[in-house]
Each structure stands twice: as C-alpha cells, then as structure tokens.
Amino acid sequence: MKWRRLFLAVSGTILAIWLCLILGAGNLPEDARLRIGATYMTMNNPFYSVIDEELRLMIESRGDILLTRDPALDPDKQNAQIQALLAADIDLLVINPVDYQHIQPALEEARAAGVPVVIVDSQVSDPSLVTCTIASDNYGAGVLCAEHLMRTRDSARIALLEHPSAQSGVDRIQGFCDTIAPYPQYQIAGRASSDGQLELAMPAMDKLLLADPSIDVVMSLNDPTALGAMAALQDRYLLDQTLVYGVDGAPEAKSMIAEGVMTATVAQSPIQIGQTTAQVIYQILSGEDYPTEIIVPVELITAENVSQFGLDGWQ
C-alpha cells in the first residue's frame, strides 16, 4: 500500500506538470506573450486563410498572440494597418503585400521601429528592408505551365490574366512568357488584369474574347482567376476547346482538373508556407540563425496526377 500511495502521488505530480505545460501557455501574463502582426493582400482568397490558420495554430499553441488584418487589395489601407500594428507594440510583422512597391513606406516605418518583417508569397522592391522572404517558386510555376502547353499543342493564341502590382503574379506570368518567347507559334493574343480575383477575371476574360475569339489558351496568375476565366469561356461555349492554366492547387481547381474541365494548375502549399513562416518567426525572435530567403518548390497538377494530391483540401 505504501508503494502504491507513492506511485499515485508521483503520477499525480507528473500529470499536474504535464497539464501546466499544455495549458499554461494560454495563461501567460500579457507582457510575457509575443505579439505577431500579419496582413495579407486579401482574405478573399482561401490560400491566405490557410497560411494564417497555420500561423495561428503554432503561435497560439505557444501562448502568443496573432493579430491578422485584411486590407482587401487596398495598398493604402494595408500601410495604415501596418502603422496601427506597429503602434500596438508587435514584436514581428508578417506581410503579403498588396503592391510590392507601394509597401515601402510601411517597411521603412517597421525598420525604424526595430520590428523585423517576414514577407510571404511574394517579394518587395527593396529586400534590404525585409528580415526574411518566404515564397513559392513563382517564376518556375509559369515555366511549368508553358512547358505543359508546348507538350500539348503545336501552336496557340494565348490570353494572359495578370496582377501587375503583386510580384508573385508578375513572376508567374514572366516565367510563362519567357518560356514560350523563342517559339513564334505561341502568340500572346491579349492580356488583362484581374487582381487575382474570380469576380474580376470573368469580365476581363469576356472582353478579351470579344476582341479576339480565336483565343484558345488562358494563362492565369492564380486559380481564382482561372475559375473566373472558365466561367466566361463557358458562357461563350468555348471552354471545351480552350486550355486553362492556373497557379495554387486550390481544391476547386483540382476538382475541375479531375472532371476534365480545367487543364492544369501548379501546386503551391499554403500549409507548408504557413508552417515554415511560423518556424522562422521564432528563430528570429529567439535570436537563432535564420534564412533570409526560402523558396518553396512547386509542382504541376494535371489529370494524370491530380489524384495524388487529394481533391478535398490544400497540400
């Protein structure tokens, strides 16, 4: 009985310590909790919601605080949000810039305040103002789409749906254009901006088709834009004869590829980007060595391999 009582006492102590470790993080004093600010170009894109969810999962599990803001594609609003986050005494700032050039004044304010900045899923015009950049291989994504096109068709009349203020979107379109440039049988028939939004891509695509009905390939900077283009093509009964490319690997795009409606997308991993960003945040704030740039690999998804990625969620 004596040994049994001792065993129970020790077990109870271990359990109490374990519970403190698990639950105590959420009860840290306010001044002991790190405050991380985050602002993405828009939360109207599930890609950024997934990144934010992964960040929040790790940050809050440590008892720290994540303050997320949505500028809704307004660069001035994003800069104002950053000013407010800096005034809220954040320890680190995560930014997905609406405009890679317009963001510079806010980056300079963060530098003056001594707040490190991590850029996700894009770049900025002055990397010296940034502590770390974490992005997919955006240029490579465009290359993968172009290479697939050239394996699939001997010639093409191509529409480009762009987002000129987002460096990630610029890089994807540039990778595509650079790859087809040596081959005159692949012609750019028209280009339009969609800001990466489905609801803007549909009318933009419709105008391009009105100007040139011979378009038979669409290269979109992301999957929401590709889905908007597909809606416009469907309205004109052109979808079944048009190749449509996107970038993201969104569940909706993968489903469309599996159904044979969409040609291909390039898989990014917002889960991996979010987890990697969280790891880098704590490396920076704890004074450990950290990388200044991380390029996350991408992979082409077609009808041949879409089943390997799963249709119900992000990779």
Side-chain angles (χ1 to χ4, degrees), residues 295-308:
I295 302 299
V296 180
V298 294
E299 187 172 355
L300 188 72
I301 300 179
T302 66
E304 287 71 32
N305 67 353
V306 66
S307 61
Q308 301 172 20

Side-chain angles (χ1 to χ4, degrees), residues 1-298:
M1 289 294 293
K2 180 178 179 181
W3 284 106
R4 184 179 177 188
R5 287 196 299 270
L6 180 60
F7 173 77
L8 291 174
V10 171
S11 298
T13 301
I14 292 173
L15 178 61
I17 293 172
W18 181 78
L19 287 172
C20 286
L21 290 173
I22 297 298
L23 301 175
N27 298 318
L28 288 173
E30 185 71 21
D31 58 359
R33 303 169 73 184
L34 295 172
R35 296 167 64 84
I36 314 300
T39 170
Y40 309 91
M41 66 170 65
T42 174
M43 297 303 281
N44 191 33
N45 184 338
F47 183 85
Y48 299 118
S49 296
V50 175
I51 292 176
D52 194 65
E53 287 168 7
E54 292 297 322
L55 269 183
R56 188 171 302 279
L57 184 64
M58 181 174 286
I59 289 170
E60 293 186 350
S61 73
R62 291 172 172 250
D64 297 324
I65 300 168
L66 177 63
L67 305 172
T68 300
R69 301 292 182 263
D70 177 8
L73 293 172
D74 184 335
D76 291 324
K77 184 176 181 180
Q78 186 170 55
N79 283 357
Q81 288 175 344
I82 291 171
Q83 291 175 337
L85 286 168
L86 293 172
D89 292 327
I90 57 171
D91 297 284
L92 184 141
L93 181 61
V94 177
I95 304 175
N96 169 246
V98 174
D99 187 309
Y100 69 98
Q101 294 177 315
H102 197 87
I103 198 72
Q104 178 144 337
L107 296 177
E108 291 171 350
E109 289 189 41
R111 169 67 61 86
V115 174
V117 173
V118 176
I119 299 293
V120 295
D121 190 48
S122 193
Q123 289 83 24
V124 296
S125 57
D126 186 356
S128 70
L129 295 171
V130 173
T131 307
C132 179
T133 298
I134 302 168
S136 300
D137 182 4
N138 290 304
Y139 185 91
V143 171
L144 289 174
C145 292
E147 290 175 343
H148 184 272
L149 165 61
M150 293 190 293
R151 291 194 302 269
T152 306
R153 290 195 176 170
D154 295 330
S155 63
R157 298 277 295 166
I158 304 162
L160 302 176
L161 291 177
E162 308 174 284
H163 188 179
S165 65
Q167 187 64 51
S168 55
V170 171
D171 289 345
R172 293 168 193 172
I173 297 298
Q174 194 63 52
F176 181 91
C177 291
D178 287 350
T179 305
I180 65 170
Y183 307 98
Q185 63 269 38
Y186 301 100
Q187 300 178 356
I188 306 300
R191 55 203 307 163
S193 176
S194 68
D195 287 350
Q197 302 296 295
L198 186 154
E199 61 271 20
L200 298 180
M202 186 177 176
M205 186 71 225
D206 196 60
K207 287 181 181 178
L208 291 174
L209 290 169
L210 187 63
D212 189 344
S214 69
I215 289 170
D216 58 4
V217 173
V218 180
M219 174 59 197
S220 307
L221 80 133
N222 65 3
D223 285 346
T225 295
L227 296 175
M230 290 166 61
L233 289 162
Q234 183 65 40
D235 279 353
R236 292 179 175 270
Y237 304 99
L238 296 172
L239 183 56
D240 60 348
Q241 63 195 60
T242 306
L243 302 185
V244 179
Y245 293 91
V247 178
D248 277 343
E252 298 84 357
K254 290 185 288 187
S255 294
M256 292 290 184
I257 292 170
E259 294 172 15
V261 180
M262 184 172 171
T263 308
T265 184
V266 177
Q268 300 191 89
S269 177
I271 294 174
Q272 184 179 352
I273 291 175
Q275 292 173 348
T276 301
T277 302
Q279 292 168 2
V280 170
I281 285 172
Y282 284 102
Q283 288 174 338
I284 293 170
L285 294 178
S286 64
E288 299 176 25
D289 292 335
Y290 59 86
T292 57
E293 183 178 38
I294 298 174
I295 302 299
V296 180
V298 294

